[in-house]
Amino acid sequence: MAEKELILISHGKMAEGVKASVELIMGEQEHVHTVCLLPSEGPDDFKSKFEEKISGMNIEDITVFADLMGGTPANVVSRLIMGGQKIHLISGMNLPLVIEWLNSQMSGAESDFVTAGKAGIVDVNEMLSNMKK
């Protein structure tokens, strides 16, 4: 089975922070990559960095998690997809989403990592108040 590649994209260095947090929990992840849009950069700069990052990768083995739907990083990759690239793009990146994706890769089992990402959003105060009842 070919190794899948995960690319985390974000405004600022969020993607690097998510990768660092994942590695703190799960150890080094050689198939997780980051591309960050920095304040001094625009869409063309981001596109160049992204294309450089995926150069040499099998495009069908790439999943991309973006920080925000409608932001420059997600929009740049969306345009590549609309142009025919077979990239799988998910927006709304969070730690549970990335961890579930990695677990599915390690186990070889299919996983609904998007649902895991959504389930990772919890109003803790509400949960605690419900536990008191």
Side-chain angles (χ1 to χ4, degrees):
M1 178 170 130
E3 294 288 347
K4 303 290 184 182
E5 304 291 342
L6 179 61
I7 303 177
L8 310 177
I9 62 175
S10 67
H11 295 82
K13 296 188 177 186
M14 177 188 175
E16 291 175 1
V18 170
K19 181 179 181 192
S21 294
V22 164
E23 289 183 333
L24 179 68
I25 296 166
M26 301 183 74
E28 187 176 346
Q29 299 296 320
E30 66 183 78
H31 295 285
V32 177
H33 315 275
T34 63
V35 182
C36 299
L37 174 67
L38 302 178
S40 62
E41 298 172 332
D44 291 336
D45 300 306
F46 185 83
K47 182 180 180 198
S48 294
K49 290 190 329 185
F50 184 82
E51 288 177 332
E52 182 179 334
K53 184 66 70 175
I54 66 172
S55 175
M57 293 181 185
N58 180 350
I59 201 77
E60 293 181 9
D61 290 332
I62 297 174
T63 298
V64 177
F65 292 162
D67 60 347
L68 179 68
M69 182 65 188
T72 297
N75 289 347
V76 167
V77 176
S78 293
R79 283 187 204 98
L80 294 173
I81 293 167
M82 290 186 297
Q85 297 272 9
K86 301 292 185 204
I87 298 168
H88 189 183
L89 174 63
I90 305 290
S91 70
M93 170 176 49
N94 63 22
L95 207 49
L97 175 72
V98 177
I99 289 171
E100 184 65 23
W101 186 91
L102 288 167
N103 282 334
S104 73
Q105 295 304 303
M106 290 188 300
S107 69
E110 289 293 318
S111 174
D112 185 356
F113 45 87
V114 172
T115 297
K118 290 177 184 178
I121 300 171
V122 176
D123 182 334
V124 176
N125 289 71
E126 182 180 323
M127 179 191 72
L128 292 174
S129 70
N130 289 335
M131 290 173 63
K132 294 178 186 178
K133 295 177 183 177

